[in-house]
Amino acid sequence: MEQINNYADSRLINGCVYCGGSADTRDHVPSKCLLDKPYPENLSVVGCCDSCNNGFSMDEQYFACLIESVLCGSTDPGKIRRASVARMMKHSPALQQQIENSKTEVNGQIGFIPDMERVSKVMLKLARGHAAYELSLPWRKEPDHFWCGPLSFLPEESQEVFHSVHFQHMTGEVGSRNMQRLMVTQMTITGEDGELKNIDMLINDWVDVQDDQYRYIAIDDMSTSIIRIVIAEYFACEVVWELDNDLE
Ligand SMILES: [Zn+2]
């Protein structure tokens, strides 16, 4: 990943990006268990307290193992595609058993019933991390909109919107990483007088952390922040926060 320095007002983020406690440690966004070696260079890191850092790791492992079990149709480490996840399941028979217990079979199709509380906790944490890193916005309040699930569950027209790049109308926090990623492009439009005009558009594109494994887009339109995440081109998440005067 391209390394981008944050020139936004650092006072916007004080302490742990998840709970506001003291930032004793740094947390990778996304967590390494969702990526494969060799890891991308310059992985994003955000400030985080010890308790949040430890508090999420079991749920993140569960989530990484669940996604792979679904994609491989099995909890057998020998059949798991990602080597690091296969190792995780081998070393934690309890975790493997837990996922195995959630297995269902309908008409010969293997499925797994996810523990949505744990999955949502992980996705919200990732979204908060991306918002803090990309937009310099610590969204600690509950989101105004939250959705996560398999990409294929989205109706086709929603998928198109979900995957598209974002044309930025208003610019977010000056100097944030997201602002520096925006690309300017020129478009030619026909004005009301019939004359052709060139206008500058700002394009906010998806950030590919690791090909086919993890990508996200962070959108800041002043009053609304949107984070979209796609994992293994299978599982997606959308989180929206609306500004209501305070960021807590
Ligand atoms: Zn914390």
Side-chain angles (χ1 to χ4, degrees):
M1 274 172 78
E2 185 188 359
Q3 180 163 28
I4 300 180
N5 295 318
N6 186 15
Y7 298 113
D9 190 339
S10 59
R11 286 171 304 179
L12 283 174
I13 300 183
N14 259 327
C16 172
V17 299
Y18 307 116
C19 74
S22 67
D24 317 308
T25 182
R26 299 189 318 159
D27 190 36
H28 286 101
V29 196
S31 10
K32 283 184 171 170
C33 71
L34 296 174
L35 302 172
D36 290 316
K37 285 181 180 169
Y39 296 124
E41 284 175 23
N42 306 315
L43 269 183
S44 315
V45 284
V46 292
C48 162
C49 73
D50 280 328
S51 141
C52 284
N53 200 327
N54 299 327
F56 286 116
S57 66
M58 293 299 284
D59 293 324
E60 285 170 336
Q61 284 182 25
Y62 163 77
F63 177 70
C65 293
L66 173 73
I67 293 288
E68 281 308 294
S69 302
V70 171
L71 291 174
C72 303
S74 171
T75 60
D76 176 356
K79 292 184 178 159
I80 294 289
R81 182 186 60 132
R82 293 180 53 210
S84 58
V85 173
R87 261 197 311 277
M88 233 187 277
M89 290 179 83
K90 223 176 187 169
H91 290 153
S92 177
L95 178 57
Q96 185 196 354
Q97 194 54 51
Q98 192 192 351
I99 297 173
E100 181 64 28
N101 290 346
S102 70
K103 190 157 93 176
T104 59
E105 198 172 336
V106 181
N107 300 330
Q109 281 277 96
I110 305 274
F112 293 86
I113 298 168
D115 180 338
M116 280 314 286
E117 201 178 311
R118 296 184 88 180
V119 171
S120 302
K121 195 173 153 194
V122 170
M123 297 314 290
L124 186 54
K125 181 231 176 192
L126 291 167
R128 285 196 167 113
H130 291 312
Y133 185 83
E134 284 292 328
L135 308 176
S136 300
L137 290 170
W139 285 113
R140 294 184 187 113
K141 68 166 189 169
E142 285 304 303
D144 294 279
H145 160 80
F146 177 88
W147 176 83
C148 69
L151 258 180
S152 58
F153 282 18
L154 280 175
E156 218 165 283
E157 58 276 16
S158 313
Q159 285 202 25
E160 220 163 277
V161 175
F162 190 91
H163 290 299
S164 59
V165 298
H166 177 72
F167 290 98
Q168 197 86 16
H169 303 294
M170 303 190 57
T171 46
E173 177 64 24
V174 173
S176 72
R177 293 185 175 88
N178 178 246
M179 277 280 291
Q180 297 172 62
R181 280 192 210 279
L182 297 182
M183 288 177 298
V184 181
T185 186
Q186 246 187 16
M187 288 175 84
T188 306
I189 57 159
T190 312
E192 282 169 20
D193 51 9
E195 293 272 310
L196 291 180
K197 287 181 186 150
N198 285 329
I199 54 161
D200 290 330
M201 300 281 295
L202 285 170
I203 298 182
N204 183 5
D205 203 354
W206 284 74
V207 178
D208 272 309
V209 179
Q210 192 162 62
D211 276 355
D212 298 326
Q213 184 53 35
Y214 196 105
R215 62 190 171 97
Y216 68 89
I217 187 168
I219 297 167
D220 173 17
D221 266 347
M222 295 313 279
S223 60
T224 309
S225 295
I226 306 169
I227 305 290
R228 294 192 183 115
I229 301 168
V230 175
I231 294 165
E233 293 306 316
Y234 160 70
F235 197 81
C237 170
E238 180 175 73
V239 186
V240 178
W241 287 276
E242 308 273 358
L243 193 70
D244 46 24
N245 300 322
D246 66 281
L247 286 170
E248 299 300 316

PDB file of all heavy atoms in Angstrom, residues 16-22 48-53 56, ligand 1:
ATOM      1  N   CYS A  16      -7.481   6.036  22.206  1.00  0.00           N
ATOM      2  CA  CYS A  16      -7.899   4.832  21.487  1.00  0.00           C
ATOM      3  C   CYS A  16      -9.017   5.176  20.501  1.00  0.00           C
ATOM      4  O   CYS A  16     -10.008   5.787  20.887  1.00  0.00           O
ATOM      5  CB  CYS A  16      -8.385   3.801  22.509  1.00  0.00           C
ATOM      6  SG  CYS A  16      -9.144   2.349  21.784  1.00  0.00           S
ATOM      7  N   VAL A  17      -8.845   4.792  19.229  1.00  0.00           N
ATOM      8  CA  VAL A  17      -9.849   5.165  18.233  1.00  0.00           C
ATOM      9  C   VAL A  17     -11.178   4.432  18.465  1.00  0.00           C
ATOM     10  O   VAL A  17     -12.212   4.842  17.952  1.00  0.00           O
ATOM     11  CB  VAL A  17      -9.384   4.900  16.779  1.00  0.00           C
ATOM     12  CG1 VAL A  17      -8.141   5.704  16.454  1.00  0.00           C
ATOM     13  CG2 VAL A  17      -9.175   3.431  16.508  1.00  0.00           C
ATOM     14  N   TYR A  18     -11.134   3.354  19.253  1.00  0.00           N
ATOM     15  CA  TYR A  18     -12.358   2.573  19.456  1.00  0.00           C
ATOM     16  C   TYR A  18     -13.160   3.027  20.676  1.00  0.00           C
ATOM     17  O   TYR A  18     -14.373   3.086  20.639  1.00  0.00           O
ATOM     18  CB  TYR A  18     -12.031   1.079  19.577  1.00  0.00           C
ATOM     19  CG  TYR A  18     -11.199   0.577  18.417  1.00  0.00           C
ATOM     20  CD1 TYR A  18      -9.914   0.097  18.599  1.00  0.00           C
ATOM     21  CD2 TYR A  18     -11.712   0.626  17.116  1.00  0.00           C
ATOM     22  CE1 TYR A  18      -9.145  -0.340  17.520  1.00  0.00           C
ATOM     23  CE2 TYR A  18     -10.948   0.194  16.046  1.00  0.00           C
ATOM     24  CZ  TYR A  18      -9.667  -0.282  16.251  1.00  0.00           C
ATOM     25  OH  TYR A  18      -8.922  -0.693  15.193  1.00  0.00           O
ATOM     26  N   CYS A  19     -12.451   3.334  21.806  1.00  0.00           N
ATOM     27  CA  CYS A  19     -13.194   3.638  23.034  1.00  0.00           C
ATOM     28  C   CYS A  19     -12.830   4.992  23.638  1.00  0.00           C
ATOM     29  O   CYS A  19     -13.483   5.447  24.574  1.00  0.00           O
ATOM     30  CB  CYS A  19     -12.975   2.536  24.071  1.00  0.00           C
ATOM     31  SG  CYS A  19     -11.341   2.595  24.824  1.00  0.00           S
ATOM     32  N   GLY A  20     -11.767   5.633  23.126  1.00  0.00           N
ATOM     33  CA  GLY A  20     -11.372   6.928  23.676  1.00  0.00           C
ATOM     34  C   GLY A  20     -10.431   6.815  24.868  1.00  0.00           C
ATOM     35  O   GLY A  20      -9.980   7.826  25.389  1.00  0.00           O
ATOM     36  N   GLY A  21     -10.143   5.585  25.295  1.00  0.00           N
ATOM     37  CA  GLY A  21      -9.184   5.371  26.401  1.00  0.00           C
ATOM     38  C   GLY A  21      -7.772   5.731  25.943  1.00  0.00           C
ATOM     39  O   GLY A  21      -7.578   6.246  24.846  1.00  0.00           O
ATOM     40  N   SER A  22      -6.780   5.429  26.799  1.00  0.00           N
ATOM     41  CA  SER A  22      -5.427   5.847  26.429  1.00  0.00           C
ATOM     42  C   SER A  22      -4.876   4.937  25.327  1.00  0.00           C
ATOM     43  O   SER A  22      -5.079   3.723  25.334  1.00  0.00           O
ATOM     44  CB  SER A  22      -4.511   5.853  27.650  1.00  0.00           C
ATOM     45  OG  SER A  22      -4.323   4.535  28.090  1.00  0.00           O
ATOM     46  N   CYS A  48      -4.628   2.653  19.911  1.00  0.00           N
ATOM     47  CA  CYS A  48      -5.636   1.771  20.511  1.00  0.00           C
ATOM     48  C   CYS A  48      -5.201   1.419  21.927  1.00  0.00           C
ATOM     49  O   CYS A  48      -4.011   1.397  22.224  1.00  0.00           O
ATOM     50  CB  CYS A  48      -5.699   0.552  19.591  1.00  0.00           C
ATOM     51  SG  CYS A  48      -6.433  -0.919  20.215  1.00  0.00           S
ATOM     52  N   CYS A  49      -6.159   1.194  22.826  1.00  0.00           N
ATOM     53  CA  CYS A  49      -5.793   0.815  24.197  1.00  0.00           C
ATOM     54  C   CYS A  49      -5.580  -0.699  24.273  1.00  0.00           C
ATOM     55  O   CYS A  49      -6.039  -1.436  23.406  1.00  0.00           O
ATOM     56  CB  CYS A  49      -6.864   1.266  25.189  1.00  0.00           C
ATOM     57  SG  CYS A  49      -8.379   0.307  25.143  1.00  0.00           S
ATOM     58  N   ASP A  50      -4.874  -1.144  25.317  1.00  0.00           N
ATOM     59  CA  ASP A  50      -4.582  -2.571  25.459  1.00  0.00           C
ATOM     60  C   ASP A  50      -5.853  -3.396  25.532  1.00  0.00           C
ATOM     61  O   ASP A  50      -5.953  -4.475  24.957  1.00  0.00           O
ATOM     62  CB  ASP A  50      -3.759  -2.816  26.733  1.00  0.00           C
ATOM     63  CG  ASP A  50      -2.286  -2.491  26.510  1.00  0.00           C
ATOM     64  OD1 ASP A  50      -1.817  -2.679  25.369  1.00  0.00           O
ATOM     65  OD2 ASP A  50      -1.638  -2.037  27.463  1.00  0.00           O
ATOM     66  N   SER A  51      -6.843  -2.853  26.244  1.00  0.00           N
ATOM     67  CA  SER A  51      -8.050  -3.629  26.472  1.00  0.00           C
ATOM     68  C   SER A  51      -8.824  -3.847  25.169  1.00  0.00           C
ATOM     69  O   SER A  51      -9.307  -4.950  24.898  1.00  0.00           O
ATOM     70  CB  SER A  51      -8.864  -2.938  27.566  1.00  0.00           C
ATOM     71  OG  SER A  51     -10.213  -2.983  27.297  1.00  0.00           O
ATOM     72  N   CYS A  52      -8.922  -2.830  24.307  1.00  0.00           N
ATOM     73  CA  CYS A  52      -9.589  -3.015  23.014  1.00  0.00           C
ATOM     74  C   CYS A  52      -8.774  -3.971  22.148  1.00  0.00           C
ATOM     75  O   CYS A  52      -9.317  -4.870  21.502  1.00  0.00           O
ATOM     76  CB  CYS A  52      -9.767  -1.684  22.282  1.00  0.00           C
ATOM     77  SG  CYS A  52     -11.111  -0.693  22.960  1.00  0.00           S
ATOM     78  N   ASN A  53      -7.451  -3.761  22.146  1.00  0.00           N
ATOM     79  CA  ASN A  53      -6.583  -4.596  21.320  1.00  0.00           C
ATOM     80  C   ASN A  53      -6.785  -6.077  21.639  1.00  0.00           C
ATOM     81  O   ASN A  53      -6.981  -6.913  20.756  1.00  0.00           O
ATOM     82  CB  ASN A  53      -5.127  -4.175  21.556  1.00  0.00           C
ATOM     83  CG  ASN A  53      -4.225  -4.629  20.423  1.00  0.00           C
ATOM     84  OD1 ASN A  53      -4.467  -5.670  19.843  1.00  0.00           O
ATOM     85  ND2 ASN A  53      -3.215  -3.866  20.117  1.00  0.00           N
ATOM     86  N   PHE A  56     -10.638  -7.609  21.005  1.00  0.00           N
ATOM     87  CA  PHE A  56     -11.140  -7.946  19.671  1.00  0.00           C
ATOM     88  C   PHE A  56     -10.496  -9.190  19.066  1.00  0.00           C
ATOM     89  O   PHE A  56     -11.045  -9.774  18.139  1.00  0.00           O
ATOM     90  CB  PHE A  56     -10.882  -6.778  18.702  1.00  0.00           C
ATOM     91  CG  PHE A  56     -11.798  -5.597  18.904  1.00  0.00           C
ATOM     92  CD1 PHE A  56     -11.294  -4.372  19.304  1.00  0.00           C
ATOM     93  CD2 PHE A  56     -13.165  -5.714  18.674  1.00  0.00           C
ATOM     94  CE1 PHE A  56     -12.134  -3.272  19.487  1.00  0.00           C
ATOM     95  CE2 PHE A  56     -14.004  -4.615  18.853  1.00  0.00           C
ATOM     96  CZ  PHE A  56     -13.496  -3.396  19.255  1.00  0.00           C
TER      97      PHE A  56
HETATM   98 ZN    ZN B   1      -9.966   1.170  23.629  1.00  0.00          ZN
END
